[in-house]
């Protein structure tokens, strides 16, 4: 019998990309093969995002396309994984009976069993085909066995980049799951559950194996990644080894390290990975919570040259009144103090973030405060989102969504324009400098978009729409500046992909810097192409 082919499409954040990688590894081990073409697959899986309504509507349209194929008689198994499954729960199954499998992000270790149940029996009940955490993860301070199983998914990950379906040179490692912040607009604490920290030894072991498999760059992931803190000696272990641990309350951070307790802080974790896995040329982390950026983290970044000086720390708003309604726990002044301290300790650092416009009750003055912040702070870039009321959040219950879509759109454009000017200013300060660029792709000038339409029964994948590649290379600096370079004459562009090379930055726009390869500084020697090889 030929192997079953799976099409897996990912929506949402990097955490979801990593989840998809783990799912792919897990199913590959069981003999499933993967295709980029949904038409060639017997199993179609969507790993979904719930953070904004728009993220969900894209998935509904995909579900509609596959549903119609199923109704037309094609034998496809359709699975909805991730945050949307968790948020919508069984209601989604009732609306879309063509969905065979639902699996929340905290239950992905159960996916093979769900697929088995759905494939083997027409009579499998909804319960056999559904794994959702509900609010179970918030009911107790101790970890349930379920979460230990989830840890096994990370522990058994496929390190071979071909099996994992990722670049060989860039990888992601989860250090915390879930979130305890409860920003009033945000669905993530409901979909991902309580904050859980992974043991440092598991994380370092994973980084080492990824480096052995060729990863040059590792990105540590967490919703509030710099909130990481692991208290050793806790009772919960898996076969004598340390186990993931529910995050401590805020008090633990205020009172420091308790007497007699051995603790690994985020700064200590960064230093351990940096020192113990020297083959990693770049260590990055996202997303940071501004209030949790202690001086110890910034000083560790200063002292460890292979930790990227890149701080993605969303401000969300410049208005203290709105920040309070959002439950962000800091004022604009405190954010600015964090940015000033970061730039004092790490003058080369780039700062990026997110803003939400049109949060309930946001006045012109509140919005102007966000604009002022984007004008004054050297943000390399900001992702700007229109407020989207999400079921299950505090904001949807407490505040009326009283800012019209027109006003949200207008504010979004205004802030985007200001950010474009700020990005261009920040980029200009880099011109004339030589930086190390990790070359990621040979690119076409315009990125092809997948053609999705509600009326289509098929869609073209991104890969299929790519044009033949010209000779422009694109990569990123440690500070996440995007740089394009021309391939030197006579050289094969694809030989450069996955290399770290010194580049002299020559000109720039708001989106992109352009540079040329130089014979300058190379980090680290063993993993770069030397000028002589060009
Ligand atoms: N944990 C990260 C980001 C989580 S979601 C953090 O706290 O920074 C990514 C971004 O989506 C958020 O930073 C926020 O700007 C945006 N976002 C989250 N919920 C939203 C909502 N309901 N409407 C609009 N934007 C939202
Ligand atoms: Fe959402 Fe706030 Fe947690 Fe980020 S910190 S995931 S915005 S609740
Ligand atoms: Fe979306 Fe879930 Fe990530 S809601 S942003 S996929 S944590």
């Amino acid at each position: 019998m030929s192997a079953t082919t799976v099409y897996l499409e990912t929506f949402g954040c990097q955490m979801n990309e990593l989840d998809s990688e783990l799912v792919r590894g897990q199913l590959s081990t069981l003999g499933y093969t993967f295709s980029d073409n949904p038409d060639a697959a017997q199993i179609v899986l969507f790993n979904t995002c719930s953070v904004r309504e728009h993220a969900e509507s894209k998935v509904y349209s995909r579900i509609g396309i596959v549903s119609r194929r199923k109704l037309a008689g094609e034998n496809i198994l359709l699975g909805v994984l991730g945050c949307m499954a968790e948020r919508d729960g069984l209601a989604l199954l009732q609306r879309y009976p063509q969905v065979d499998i639902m699996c929340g992000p905290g239950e992905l270790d159960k996916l093979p069993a769900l697929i088995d149940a759905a494939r083997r029996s027409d009579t499998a009940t909804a319960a056999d085909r559904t794994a959702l955490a509900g609010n179970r993860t918030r009911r107790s301070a101790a970890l349930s066995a379920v979460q230990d199983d989830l840890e096994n998914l990370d522990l058994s990950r496929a390190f071979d980049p071909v099996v994992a379906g990722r670049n060989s040179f860039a990888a992601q490692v989860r250090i915390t799951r879930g979130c305890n912040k409860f920003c009033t607009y945000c669905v993530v604490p409901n979909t991902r559950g309580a904050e859980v920290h992974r043991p440092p030894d598991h994380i370092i072991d994973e980084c080492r194996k990824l480096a052995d498999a060729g990863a040059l760059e590792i990105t540590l992931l967490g919703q509030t990644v710099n909130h990481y803190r692991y208290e050793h000696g806790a009772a919960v272990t898996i076969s004598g080894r340390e186990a993931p641990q529910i995050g401590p309350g805020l008090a633990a951070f205020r009172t420091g390290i308790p007497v007699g307790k051995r603790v690994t802080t985020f700064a200590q974790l960064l230093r351990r990975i940096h020192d113990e896995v020297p083959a990693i040329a770049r260590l990055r982390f996202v997303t940071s919570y501004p209030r949790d950026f202690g001086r110890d983290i910034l000083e560790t970044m200063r002292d460890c040259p292979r930790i990227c000086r890149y701080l993605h720390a969303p401000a969300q708003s410049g208005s203290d009144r709105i920040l309070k309604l959002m439950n962000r726990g800091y004022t604009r002044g405190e954010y600015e103090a964090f940015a000033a301290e970061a730039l004092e300790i790490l003058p080369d650092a780039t700062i990026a973030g997110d803003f939400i416009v049109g949060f309930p009750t946001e006045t012109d003055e509140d919005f102007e405060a966000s604009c002022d912040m984007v004008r004054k702070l050297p943000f390399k870039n900001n992702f700007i989102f229109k407020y989207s009321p999400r079921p299950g959040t505090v904001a949807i219950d407490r505040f009326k969504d009283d800012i019209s879509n027109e006003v949200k759109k207008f504010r979004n454009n205004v802030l985007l324009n200001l950010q474009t000017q700020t990005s261009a200013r920040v980029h200009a300060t880099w011109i004339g400098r030589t930086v190390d660029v990790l070359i990621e792709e040979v690119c076409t000038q315009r990125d092809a978009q997948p053609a999705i339409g509600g009326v289509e029964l098929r869609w073209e994948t991104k890969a299929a729409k790519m044009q033949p590649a010209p000779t422009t290379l694109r990569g990123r600096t440690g500070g996440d500046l995007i740089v394009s370079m021309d391939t030197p004459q006579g050289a094969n562009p694809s030989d450069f992909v996955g290399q770290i090379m010194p580049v002299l930055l020559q000109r720039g726009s708001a989106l992109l810097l352009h540079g040329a390869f130089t014979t300058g500084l190379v980090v680290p020697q063993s993993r770069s192409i030397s000028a002589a090889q060009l």
Side-chain angles (χ1 to χ4, degrees):
M1 207 180 86
S2 65
T4 307
T5 303
V6 182
Y7 173 80
L8 171 60
E9 187 168 353
T10 308
F11 303 81
C13 63
Q14 291 195 51
M15 199 66 88
N16 255 19
E17 284 168 22
L18 175 58
D19 280 342
S20 285
E21 180 183 329
L22 298 179
V23 160
R24 192 183 153 112
Q26 173 199 45
L27 294 179
S28 297
T29 320
L30 296 171
Y32 293 90
T33 56
F34 282 77
S35 167
D36 286 342
N37 176 7
D39 297 345
Q42 292 87 51
I43 301 181
V44 174
L45 301 175
F46 296 129
N47 193 10
T48 61
C49 174
S50 258
V51 80
R52 283 169 292 278
E53 196 181 347
H54 180 64
E56 292 199 348
S57 26
K58 279 198 279 190
V59 175
Y60 285 127
S61 112
R62 296 282 207 286
I63 293 176
I65 295 169
V66 179
S67 297
R68 272 171 271 158
R69 285 174 57 190
K70 288 186 72 162
L71 290 173
E74 286 188 56
N75 187 14
I76 312 166
L77 196 106
L78 172 59
V80 177
L81 323 178
C83 290
M84 222 171 124
E86 190 62 55
R87 191 197 70 69
D88 223 355
L90 295 177
L92 194 147
L93 263 192
Q94 278 153 12
R95 268 201 316 280
Y96 289 94
Q98 291 83 9
V99 173
D100 300 292
I101 290 168
M102 298 267 289
C103 188
E107 311 287 312
L108 288 171
D109 54 290
K110 303 193 180 66
L111 183 62
L114 301 180
I115 294 179
D116 256 11
R119 290 180 83 203
R120 278 176 207 281
S121 154
D122 288 343
T123 55
T125 62
D128 298 329
R129 299 180 280 115
T130 309
L132 304 169
N135 61 3
R136 178 172 74 230
T137 58
R138 294 210 176 268
R139 283 202 198 120
S140 115
L143 272 184
S144 66
V146 171
Q147 283 161 314
D148 289 355
D149 288 347
L150 190 58
E151 179 65 9
N152 286 333
L153 185 65
D154 290 67
L155 290 178
S156 63
R157 81 184 278 179
F159 293 98
D160 178 343
V162 176
V163 175
R166 62 170 161 78
N167 281 338
S168 57
F169 52 85
Q172 298 159 330
V173 171
R174 191 185 337 257
I175 68 166
T176 66
R177 310 170 200 284
C179 181
N180 280 1
K181 298 291 193 215
F182 286 99
C183 303
T184 54
Y185 50 81
C186 184
V187 80
V188 174
N190 301 338
T191 61
R192 294 264 169 188
E195 187 182 74
V196 171
H197 302 277
R198 300 184 63 211
D201 286 348
H202 291 196
I203 296 167
I204 290 162
D205 203 38
E206 209 168 307
C207 291
R208 196 176 287 121
K209 286 179 179 153
L210 286 162
D212 288 348
L216 276 180
E217 175 181 285
I218 287 186
T219 304
L220 305 177
L221 297 185
Q223 294 299 341
T224 52
V225 70
N226 54 340
H227 198 237
Y228 178 86
R229 177 182 165 111
Y230 192 88
E231 290 187 7
H232 298 273
V236 186
T237 57
I238 308 175
S239 340
R241 289 185 75 183
E242 284 184 321
Q245 179 176 96
I246 289 275
L250 269 182
F253 288 84
R254 297 210 186 93
T255 54
I257 296 172
V259 182
K261 276 246 168 99
R262 201 163 66 77
V263 169
T264 299
T265 61
F266 181 61
Q268 288 164 337
L269 179 73
L270 283 179
R271 190 179 282 275
R272 271 196 69 187
I273 302 173
H274 179 270
D275 293 351
E276 293 177 35
V277 198
I280 300 169
R282 286 186 174 181
L283 183 60
R284 322 157 54 78
F285 52 89
V286 287
T287 302
S288 296
Y289 197 69
R291 197 184 54 192
D292 294 332
F293 245 116
R295 208 176 163 88
D296 59 336
I297 302 174
L298 298 167
E299 286 174 350
T300 301
M301 293 172 76
R302 178 196 59 201
D303 298 342
C304 299
R306 286 176 291 102
I307 301 179
C308 294
R309 278 115 172 88
Y310 171 64
L311 307 170
H312 185 110
Q316 310 294 7
S317 172
S319 153
D320 287 348
R321 192 181 72 82
I322 296 291
L323 284 169
K324 197 159 189 201
L325 295 183
M326 288 176 163
N327 190 31
R328 285 294 285 185
Y330 53 83
T331 60
R332 172 178 171 183
E334 283 166 337
Y335 187 97
E336 287 173 344
F338 142 72
E341 186 181 39
L343 291 171
E344 173 213 317
I345 299 174
L346 306 164
D348 275 357
T350 52
I351 301 180
D354 303 347
F355 273 87
I356 295 176
V357 296
F359 189 82
T361 77
E362 186 186 64
T363 61
D364 287 344
E365 266 168 24
D366 292 320
F367 174 62
E368 173 50 30
S370 294
C371 294
D372 198 46
M373 213 170 163
V374 168
R375 271 188 222 108
K376 289 191 178 143
L377 263 68
F379 286 116
K380 175 188 87 72
N381 72 288
N382 265 300
F383 297 101
I384 298 163
F385 304 109
K386 292 185 289 177
Y387 170 70
S388 167
R390 305 308 296 136
T393 60
V394 170
I396 200 171
D397 291 336
R398 196 176 289 170
F399 314 114
K400 187 164 165 267
D401 180 21
D402 58 354
I403 310 295
S404 71
N405 198 36
E406 284 67 41
V407 173
K408 285 180 188 168
K409 238 195 222 160
F410 176 75
R411 290 181 182 168
N412 192 324
N413 288 341
V414 170
L415 203 54
L416 210 56
N417 277 332
L418 287 174
Q419 180 56 52
T420 304
Q421 292 166 29
T422 301
S423 298
R425 272 205 309 279
V426 170
H427 279 170
T429 65
W430 286 86
I431 291 167
R433 296 168 71 170
T434 299
V435 292
D436 289 318
V437 176
L438 172 57
I439 299 158
E440 294 176 330
E441 57 178 351
V442 182
C443 64
T444 55
Q445 295 302 332
R446 63 195 163 84
D447 257 357
Q449 295 294 320
I452 306 294
V455 289
E456 283 181 277
L457 289 184
R458 300 282 186 272
W459 64 88
E460 285 183 80
T461 60
K462 193 166 181 170
K465 283 213 92 186
M466 293 300 270
Q467 308 292 320
T471 56
T472 306
L473 297 165
R474 190 173 290 188
R476 278 179 302 116
T477 68
D480 208 46
L481 299 166
I482 302 171
V483 184
S484 73
M485 295 113 340
D486 296 327
T487 308
Q489 278 216 324
N492 178 6
S494 50
D495 288 348
F496 291 75
V497 175
Q499 306 290 336
I500 293 178
M501 308 253 318
V503 171
L504 170 66
L505 299 174
Q506 296 168 317
R507 56 179 196 273
S509 66
L511 291 177
L512 196 66
L513 284 152
H514 186 85
F517 294 115
T518 82
T519 54
L521 166 92
V522 176
V523 179
Q525 199 67 44
S526 61
R527 285 176 176 257
S528 305
I529 296 182
S530 70
Q533 287 171 273
L534 286 179

